[in-house]
Amino acid sequence: QVQLVESGGGLVQPGGSLRLSCAASGSIFSRYNMAWYRQAPGQQRELVARISTGGVINYADSVKGRFTISRDYAKNTVYLQMNSLKPEDTAVYYCNQENLWATYWGQGTQVTVSS
């Protein structure tokens, strides 16, 4: 049974930082691309950052230069370092694991950027 467990969300002031973690279990981590998505109230879920099995990284334009995605194969974990946070980054952040044959989602973690 595949499980993706996110952690690290919370309330932060504008300009602050958070690091999200997503621990994967029940699958062969190295065979999956990993990504972070987010969904704000009343909006569609959108891709934030993605790291492929080969290490190719893509970011949404809105987070380039502020967010960094990485993965630790030894810990089966993917991270999202978020710096210079803005109120518009407020959303539920979801971990995603996918390849040609399957897609899995975590339960989400709330990130709120507010003074």
Side-chain angles (χ1 to χ4, degrees):
Q1 181 180 355
V2 175
Q3 277 195 311
L4 301 174
V5 180
E6 300 108 331
S7 60
L11 173 64
V12 64
Q13 292 187 342
S17 298
L18 284 174
R19 189 175 83 152
L20 304 183
S21 300
C22 171
S25 61
S27 64
I28 301 175
F29 185 70
S30 62
R31 294 184 181 179
Y32 288 85
N33 304 312
M34 301 298 298
W36 289 95
Y37 286 73
R38 67 185 181 188
Q39 187 167 20
Q43 297 189 20
Q44 289 188 333
R45 192 172 295 189
E46 64 174 357
L47 176 67
V48 176
R50 179 179 181 271
I51 183 167
S52 74
T53 55
V56 177
I57 293 175
N58 302 100
Y59 294 102
D61 288 343
S62 59
V63 307
K64 282 180 181 177
R66 300 188 298 122
F67 291 11
T68 302
I69 189 171
S70 61
R71 62 192 296 172
D72 185 330
Y73 287 93
K75 296 182 178 179
N76 287 358
T77 299
V78 63
Y79 303 97
L80 186 68
Q81 178 66 44
M82 305 185 295
N83 298 328
S84 302
L85 282 161
K86 304 175 181 179
E88 50 263 45
D89 294 318
T90 296
V92 178
Y93 283 70
Y94 295 92
C95 179
N96 169 270
Q97 181 182 62
E98 60 88 14
N99 61 20
L100 289 176
W101 300 278
T103 300
Y104 303 100
W105 293 93
Q107 82 286 353
T109 185
Q110 177 70 46
V111 171
T112 302
V113 185
S114 175
S115 55

